Amino acid sequence: MAIIIDKEKLLFHLQGSNTSYVMQVIQDGYLVHLYWGKKIQNYRGSNKIIFMDRGFSPNPDGADRAFSLDTIPQEYPSFGNSDFRIPAYQLQLENGSTVTDFRYKEHRVYQGKAKLKGLPSTYAEDDGEVETLEIILEDPLIDVKIVLSYSLYPKRDVITRSVRFDNEGQQQLKLLRALSASVDFRDDEYELITLYGAHNNEKNIARRKILPGIQIVDSCRGASSPHQAPFMALVREGTDEDQGEVYAFNLVYSGNFTAQTQVDSYRNTRVTMGINPFDFTWLLGPKESFQTPEVVMVYTENGLGGMSRIYHELYRNRLCRGPFRDKERPILINNWEATYFNFDADKIEQLAKEAQSVGVELFVLDDGWFGKRDDDNTSLGDWVVDRRKLPDGLPDLANRIRNLGMEFGLWFEPEMVSIDSDLYRKHPDWCIHVPDRPYTLGRNQLMLDLSRKEVCEYIVKSVSDILSNVPITYVKWDMNRHMTDVGSVALPPERQRETAHRYILGLYSIMEELTSKFPHVLFESCSSGGGRFDAGMLYYMPQTWTSDNTDAICRLKIQWGTSLVYPPITMGAHVSTVPNHQVGRITPLETRGYVAMAGNLGYELDLTTLTVEEKEVVKKQIALYKEMRSLIQFGNFYRIINPFDENEAAWSFVSEDQTEMAASYFKVLSQPAAAIKTLKFKGLNPDYIYRNIETGELFGGDELMHVGITLTRVKQDFLGLFWRFVKEDII
């Protein structure tokens, strides 16, 4: 058993290969947090909770002034019953009060992991790989239960948490806050790591010492957003890529979220994560339940690299689903930066022929193929082919491309509607909006109201009609604005603040139906790039367009930051033209290729404008990537030199059996009187001998890791270097 329970003490010990997580029920039913960290064989209470009278910390039992919820480490804290810190939940009763008192009632343990109703989550293929503990809290006065779910992947050192609220009484309750996880640490000696950014500048890394008070990252945009990611980690001072304690939290959700760290007056630290309570309520009627999203929690003493590889392995194998989970992903070319809206069938076929000649496997037709879409002001929602551009329709174009030996993919933005569209003229009430208020436009478009069943059915039918009649094997699913004027004409006044969450539930239901109906289609999520790159979307779409910014030097940081949580196989990474369309930089084609090879390789340029020499470089890039695609997409990823800290970057991929490695080094700007650099690799077997495929040189794994290789001095900006090593069998 990975979950050990002392029934007399009501003590729960979740024990992984290298991790322990300990809780206990104390003093009339309060569930407290005792320990999370490096694995221990047995918990015998060495870190006892000290109860003492603290000024301004009131007491649930007036006869015991030493006991206050304000000063003890809790598992799922409430507000109003002596704890003044951030609560994990808040319920409003019919009388208007928000004071509740949930105490331990019972628990159960079972092998496996239940699905979360209507929500994505990690899963088990075999019940034996996961063990789940459910702890039920009850407030008998209102007859409501809170089910705290802890699923332990013992071999992976992962704990997932979620919460379900069951209203078994007769009151009409209102959930004001329903977070998925809360952890109380008994010290504040941590640094906080979060991911922030903007459109074209996603997944920057912020790291700072935590301070007294509340530090928060969140989104109230209706999407997880490029501005703050639903991820947070506490690390000890000095923690780096390879060593140091990490406590990480990642929310499997694509909508409004909050992640908060609070240091109280006594230097205790509380971390909470879940649906953003801002502009959120949920009516919980009699016999109804509400399920929160899942938080994936990872502890490691092996630094940020150790944390990342735990997330990568879990998300590759137990979050992503479907036949593409275990398949090598195709090398694609997208016509967007080559043509934008200005194309016809012959132009697309010409581009496809050039792509086929260099080894590209999939051609993706981007925005502009439907309605009267000559710019971004019109036609979203009208998923009917534009016969001016494609007079013989999509099947003709798809077959032209397939006859070249390539697959065909298509761009959609199904969640949106243009005011200048037949759909809007027919159903103006189908968009997210507040009656009698003017619209706030984003990219000249509105968001469809996915809280409405008929809208979801329209999207499923519109996309299905295309996928059923055109030989398509890839869909790029875009989403190019965030939620404003939040309201739904289909919801009553008392449910208006449910709109944003119901939208996400509607989106998930659409994706569940479409991905089940078309399992042969590889869906890639996109939101103006990485605007909705989160674990929730990966459950339905096993890869995401990492950023609209295709500049290779910018991508060093974007892909590095994204890799903190998400594996390279989930990252779309393309080679684009120069000067780069986002920042105007001119970067060598070789460097652009090496950066893009660190994810799912693709191209986003007009191949017909390249020179013969440049096409030959592209052809060699594609051939090289095909040789090592399995290594890149399914191997272990190691970050070596951090571009956020240095004028350079380096990373590597090592096969699971440590017999193969691919590595890249990048220098941003050439420096005068520069030092001669030595690069030390990671993750190799110290007892193996490795051969440099290009030079034939032989080196020990220990030598490559501890001594390193000398980098050739090259006077060049935006330099990229690349190596491949394989195990050499020495007889």
Side-chain angles (χ1 to χ4, degrees), residues 597-647:
M597 285 183 198
N600 290 320
L601 177 63
Y603 290 82
E604 196 138 346
L605 44 73
D606 187 346
L607 288 171
T608 65
T609 65
L610 298 187
T611 66
V612 173
E613 293 76 16
E614 288 172 329
K615 288 179 186 175
E616 189 61 28
V617 172
V618 170
K619 190 173 183 178
K620 289 180 179 178
Q621 287 175 348
I622 291 172
L624 174 61
Y625 189 78
K626 288 178 179 178
E627 288 181 14
M628 60 179 190
R629 173 164 36 192
S630 178
L631 170 64
I632 299 296
Q633 297 182 358
F634 300 104
N636 291 319
F637 183 62
Y638 291 86
R639 294 180 295 266
I640 301 173
I641 301 177
N642 188 341
F644 289 97
D645 299 333
E646 306 288 346
N647 181 48

Side-chain angles (χ1 to χ4, degrees), residues 241 305-306 308-309 312 316 559-560 562-564 566-568 571 598 631-632 634-640 650-654 662:
E241 277 294 316
S308 296
R309 284 184 288 280
H312 291 184
R316 276 200 318 264
Q559 291 173 204
W560 181 285
T562 303
S563 77
L564 250 66
Y566 304 108
M571 289 189 243
L631 170 64
I632 299 296
F634 300 104
N636 291 319
F637 183 62
Y638 291 86
R639 294 180 295 266
I640 301 173
W651 51 56
S652 67
F653 298 84
V654 179

Side-chain angles (χ1 to χ4, degrees), residues 453-470:
K453 184 178 179 181
E454 64 271 30
V455 176
C456 294
E457 290 174 345
Y458 172 81
I459 292 174
V460 170
K461 183 179 186 306
S462 297
V463 176
S464 295
D465 286 347
I466 299 292
L467 298 184
S468 297
N469 294 289
V470 184

